[in-house]
Each structure stands twice: as C-alpha cells, then as structure tokens.
Coordinates of all heavy atoms in Angstrom, one line a residue:
A322 N -6.6 0.4 0.0 CA -6.7 -0.9 -0.8 C -7.3 -0.6 -2.2 O -6.9 -1.2 -3.2 CB -7.6 -1.9 -0.1
I323 N -8.3 0.3 -2.3 CA -8.8 0.7 -3.6 C -7.7 1.2 -4.5 O -7.6 0.8 -5.6 CB -10.0 1.7 -3.4 CG1 -11.2 1.1 -2.7 CG2 -10.4 2.3 -4.8 CD1 -12.2 2.1 -2.2
V324 N -6.9 2.2 -4.0 CA -5.8 2.7 -4.8 C -4.8 1.6 -5.1 O -4.4 1.5 -6.3 CB -5.2 3.9 -4.0 CG1 -3.9 4.4 -4.8 CG2 -6.1 5.0 -3.8
R325 N -4.5 0.8 -4.1 CA -3.6 -0.3 -4.4 C -4.1 -1.2 -5.5 O -3.3 -1.6 -6.4 CB -3.5 -1.1 -3.1 CG -2.7 -2.4 -3.2 CD -2.8 -3.3 -1.9 NE -4.1 -3.9 -1.9 CZ -4.8 -4.1 -0.8 NH1 -4.3 -3.8 0.4 NH2 -5.9 -4.7 -0.8
E326 N -5.3 -1.6 -5.5 CA -5.8 -2.5 -6.5 C -5.8 -1.9 -7.9 O -5.5 -2.5 -8.9 CB -7.2 -3.0 -6.2 CG -7.2 -4.2 -5.2 CD -7.8 -3.9 -3.8 OE1 -8.7 -3.1 -3.8 OE2 -7.3 -4.5 -2.9
L327 N -6.1 -0.6 -7.9 CA -6.1 0.1 -9.2 C -4.7 0.1 -9.8 O -4.4 -0.1 -10.9 CB -6.6 1.6 -9.1 CG -8.1 1.7 -8.8 CD1 -8.5 3.1 -8.5 CD2 -8.9 1.2 -10.1
V328 N -3.7 0.4 -8.9 CA -2.3 0.4 -9.3 C -1.9 -1.0 -9.7 O -1.2 -1.2 -10.8 CB -1.4 0.9 -8.1 CG1 0.1 0.7 -8.4 CG2 -1.6 2.4 -7.9
F329 N -2.2 -2.0 -8.9 CA -1.7 -3.4 -9.2 C -2.4 -3.9 -10.5 O -1.8 -4.7 -11.2 CB -2.0 -4.3 -8.1 CG -1.1 -4.1 -6.9 CD1 -1.3 -4.8 -5.7 CD2 0.0 -3.3 -6.9 CE1 -0.5 -4.6 -4.6 CE2 0.9 -3.1 -5.9 CZ 0.6 -3.8 -4.7
L330 N -3.6 -3.4 -10.8 CA -4.2 -3.8 -12.1 C -3.6 -3.2 -13.3 O -3.5 -3.8 -14.3 CB -5.7 -3.5 -12.1 CG -6.7 -4.4 -11.3 CD1 -8.1 -3.8 -11.2 CD2 -6.7 -5.8 -11.9
K331 N -3.0 -2.0 -13.1 CA -2.4 -1.3 -14.2 C -0.9 -1.4 -14.3 O -0.3 -1.0 -15.3 CB -2.7 0.2 -14.1 CG -4.2 0.5 -14.1 CD -4.7 0.4 -15.5 CE -6.2 0.8 -15.5 NZ -6.8 0.5 -16.7
Q332 N -0.2 -1.9 -13.2 CA 1.2 -1.8 -13.2 C 1.9 -2.7 -14.2 O 1.3 -3.7 -14.6 CB 1.7 -2.1 -11.8 CG 1.7 -3.6 -11.5 CD 2.3 -3.9 -10.1 OE1 2.8 -3.0 -9.4 NE2 2.3 -5.1 -9.7
S333 N 3.1 -2.4 -14.5 CA 3.9 -3.2 -15.4 C 4.6 -4.3 -14.6 O 4.5 -4.3 -13.4 CB 4.9 -2.4 -16.1 OG 5.9 -1.9 -15.2
E334 N 5.3 -5.1 -15.3 CA 6.0 -6.2 -14.6 C 7.4 -5.7 -14.1 O 8.2 -6.5 -13.7 CB 6.2 -7.4 -15.5 CG 4.9 -8.1 -15.9 CD 4.3 -8.6 -14.6 OE1 5.0 -9.3 -13.8 OE2 3.1 -8.4 -14.4
D335 N 7.7 -4.4 -14.2 CA 8.9 -3.8 -13.7 C 9.1 -4.1 -12.2 O 8.3 -3.6 -11.4 CB 8.9 -2.3 -14.0 CG 10.1 -1.6 -13.5 OD1 11.0 -2.3 -12.9 OD2 10.2 -0.4 -13.6
N336 N 10.0 -5.0 -11.8 CA 10.2 -5.3 -10.4 C 10.5 -4.2 -9.5 O 10.1 -4.2 -8.4 CB 11.2 -6.5 -10.3 CG 10.6 -7.8 -10.6 OD1 9.4 -8.0 -10.5 ND2 11.5 -8.7 -11.0
N337 N 11.3 -3.2 -10.0 CA 11.7 -2.1 -9.1 C 10.4 -1.3 -8.8 O 10.2 -0.9 -7.7 CB 12.7 -1.2 -9.8 CG 14.1 -1.8 -9.8 OD1 14.4 -2.6 -9.0 ND2 14.9 -1.5 -10.8
R338 N 9.6 -1.1 -9.8 CA 8.3 -0.4 -9.6 C 7.4 -1.2 -8.7 O 6.8 -0.6 -7.8 CB 7.7 -0.2 -11.0 CG 6.6 0.8 -10.9 CD 6.2 1.1 -12.3 NE 5.0 1.9 -12.3 CZ 4.1 2.1 -13.3 NH1 4.4 1.5 -14.4 NH2 3.1 2.8 -13.1
K339 N 7.3 -2.5 -8.9 CA 6.5 -3.3 -8.0 C 6.9 -3.2 -6.5 O 6.1 -3.1 -5.6 CB 6.5 -4.8 -8.5 CG 5.7 -5.0 -9.7 CD 5.9 -6.4 -10.2 CE 5.2 -7.4 -9.4 NZ 5.3 -8.8 -9.9
H340 N 8.2 -3.2 -6.3 CA 8.8 -3.1 -4.9 C 8.5 -1.8 -4.3 O 8.1 -1.7 -3.2 CB 10.3 -3.4 -4.9 CG 10.5 -4.9 -5.1 ND1 10.9 -5.4 -6.3 CD2 10.5 -5.9 -4.2 CE1 11.1 -6.7 -6.2 NE2 10.9 -7.1 -4.9
R341 N 8.6 -0.7 -5.2 CA 8.3 0.6 -4.7 C 6.8 0.7 -4.2 O 6.5 1.3 -3.2 CB 8.6 1.6 -5.8 CG 9.2 2.9 -5.3 CD 9.7 3.8 -6.5 NE 10.4 3.1 -7.5 CZ 10.3 3.2 -8.8 NH1 9.4 4.1 -9.3 NH2 11.0 2.5 -9.6
F342 N 5.9 0.2 -5.0 CA 4.5 0.2 -4.7 C 4.2 -0.5 -3.4 O 3.5 -0.1 -2.6 CB 3.6 -0.3 -5.8 CG 3.4 0.7 -6.9 CD1 3.7 0.3 -8.2 CD2 3.0 2.0 -6.7 CE1 3.5 1.2 -9.3 CE2 2.8 2.9 -7.7 CZ 3.1 2.5 -9.0
L343 N 4.9 -1.7 -3.3 CA 4.7 -2.5 -2.1 C 5.1 -1.7 -0.8 O 4.3 -1.6 0.1 CB 5.6 -3.7 -2.1 CG 5.6 -4.6 -0.9 CD1 4.2 -5.3 -0.7 CD2 6.7 -5.7 -1.0
I344 N 6.2 -1.0 -0.9 CA 6.7 -0.2 0.3 C 5.8 1.0 0.5 O 5.4 1.3 1.7 CB 8.1 0.2 0.0 CG1 9.1 -1.0 0.1 CG2 8.6 1.3 1.1 CD1 10.5 -0.8 -0.5
I345 N 5.4 1.7 -0.5 CA 4.5 2.8 -0.4 C 3.2 2.4 0.3 O 2.7 3.1 1.2 CB 4.2 3.5 -1.8 CG1 5.5 4.2 -2.3 CG2 3.0 4.4 -1.7 CD1 5.4 4.6 -3.7
F346 N 2.6 1.3 -0.2 CA 1.3 0.9 0.4 C 1.4 0.4 1.8 O 0.5 0.6 2.6 CB 0.6 -0.1 -0.5 CG 0.0 0.5 -1.8 CD1 0.4 0.0 -3.0 CD2 -0.8 1.6 -1.7 CE1 0.0 0.6 -4.2 CE2 -1.3 2.2 -2.9 CZ -0.9 1.7 -4.1
L347 N 2.5 -0.2 2.1 CA 2.8 -0.6 3.5 C 2.9 0.6 4.4 O 2.3 0.6 5.5 CB 4.0 -1.5 3.6 CG 3.9 -2.9 3.0 CD1 5.3 -3.6 3.0 CD2 2.9 -3.7 3.8
L348 N 3.6 1.6 4.0 CA 3.7 2.8 4.8 C 2.4 3.6 4.9 O 2.1 4.1 6.0 CB 4.8 3.7 4.2 CG 6.2 3.2 4.2 CD1 7.2 4.1 3.4 CD2 6.7 3.1 5.7
C349 N 1.6 3.6 3.9 CA 0.3 4.2 3.9 C -0.6 3.5 4.9 O -1.3 4.2 5.7 CB -0.4 4.2 2.6 SG 0.3 5.4 1.4
G350 N -0.6 2.2 5.0 CA -1.4 1.5 5.9 C -1.0 1.8 7.4 O -1.8 2.0 8.2
A351 N 0.3 1.8 7.6 CA 0.8 2.1 9.0 C 0.4 3.6 9.3 O 0.0 3.8 10.5 CB 2.3 1.9 9.1
A352 N 0.6 4.5 8.4 CA 0.2 5.9 8.7 C -1.3 6.0 9.0 O -1.7 6.8 9.8 CB 0.6 6.8 7.5
S353 N -2.1 5.3 8.2 CA -3.6 5.4 8.5 C -3.9 5.0 9.9 O -4.8 5.5 10.5 CB -4.4 4.7 7.4 OG -4.3 3.3 7.6
A354 N -3.3 3.9 10.3 CA -3.6 3.4 11.7 C -3.2 4.5 12.7 O -3.9 4.7 13.7 CB -2.8 2.1 12.0
A355 N -2.1 5.2 12.5 CA -1.6 6.2 13.4 C -2.5 7.4 13.4 O -2.9 8.0 14.4 CB -0.2 6.7 13.0
V356 N -3.0 7.8 12.2 CA -3.8 9.0 12.0 C -5.2 8.8 12.6 O -5.8 9.7 13.2 CB -3.9 9.5 10.6 CG1 -4.9 10.5 10.3 CG2 -2.5 10.0 10.1
T357 N -5.7 7.6 12.4 CA -7.1 7.3 12.9 C -7.2 6.6 14.2 O -8.2 6.0 14.5 CB -7.9 6.5 11.8 OG1 -7.2 5.2 11.6 CG2 -7.9 7.2 10.5
W358 N -6.1 6.6 14.9 CA -5.9 5.8 16.2 C -7.1 6.0 17.1 O -7.5 7.1 17.5 CB -4.6 6.2 16.9 CG -4.3 5.4 18.1 CD1 -4.6 5.8 19.4 CD2 -3.7 4.1 18.1 NE1 -4.2 4.7 20.2 CE2 -3.6 3.7 19.5 CE3 -3.2 3.3 17.1 CZ2 -3.1 2.5 19.8 CZ3 -2.7 2.1 17.5 CH2 -2.6 1.7 18.9
K359 N -7.7 4.9 17.5 CA -8.7 4.9 18.6 C -8.4 3.8 19.6 O -9.3 3.3 20.3 CB -10.1 4.6 17.9 CG -10.7 5.7 17.2 CD -12.1 5.4 16.9 CE -12.8 6.6 16.3 NZ -14.2 6.3 15.9
G360 N -7.2 3.4 19.7 CA -6.8 2.4 20.6 C -6.1 1.2 19.9 O -6.0 1.2 18.6
P361 N -5.7 0.2 20.6 CA -5.0 -0.9 20.0 C -5.7 -1.6 18.9 O -5.0 -2.2 18.0 CB -4.8 -1.9 21.2 CG -4.8 -1.0 22.4 CD -5.8 0.1 22.0
S362 N -7.0 -1.6 18.8 CA -7.7 -2.2 17.7 C -7.4 -1.6 16.4 O -7.7 -2.2 15.3 CB -9.2 -2.3 18.0 OG -9.8 -1.0 18.0
S363 N -6.9 -0.3 16.4 CA -6.6 0.4 15.2 C -5.4 -0.3 14.4 O -5.3 -0.1 13.2 CB -6.3 1.8 15.5 OG -7.4 2.5 16.0
I364 N -4.7 -1.1 15.1 CA -3.5 -1.8 14.5 C -4.0 -2.9 13.6 O -3.4 -3.3 12.6 CB -2.6 -2.3 15.6 CG1 -1.9 -1.2 16.4 CG2 -1.5 -3.3 15.0 CD1 -1.2 -1.6 17.6
L365 N -5.2 -3.5 14.0 CA -5.7 -4.7 13.3 C -5.9 -4.5 11.8 O -5.4 -5.3 11.0 CB -6.9 -5.3 14.0 CG -6.7 -5.8 15.4 CD1 -8.0 -6.0 16.1 CD2 -5.8 -7.0 15.4

C-alpha cells in the first residue's frame, strides 16, 4: 500500500498506465497472501 500510494500520488492521468498499476498492485496483494500464508485469515 505504501508503494501504491507513492505511485498514485505521482502517476499521470494516462489511463493505460493507471490500469497497469491497478493490475500490478492487485497481483502483488494476492502474491503477498500466498507467500505469508498462515491460514485462511491471510486472505483477509
């Protein structure tokens, strides 16, 4: 989220770039849950 906010504060209005960042951060969130898995609560 820290990285996300830094990017969103600096990003241009370029919609393609905005969509790319959206997808990248969604994938990072899912990956972090998988890497730090301690049970179903890790999904939250």
Side-chain angles (χ1 to χ4, degrees):
I323 292 165
V324 174
R325 173 191 72 212
E326 279 116 30
L327 289 170
V328 168
F329 287 171
L330 280 171
K331 300 282 183 194
Q332 79 177 356
S333 70
E334 291 300 313
D335 177 3
N336 280 335
N337 288 333
R338 193 169 172 200
K339 285 173 72 173
H340 286 96
R341 220 173 310 138
F342 283 126
L343 176 67
I344 293 166
I345 289 168
F346 288 123
L347 289 171
L348 291 173
C349 287
S353 75
V356 170
T357 61
W358 185 262
K359 283 190 174 180
S362 66
S363 296
I364 294 170
L365 296 169

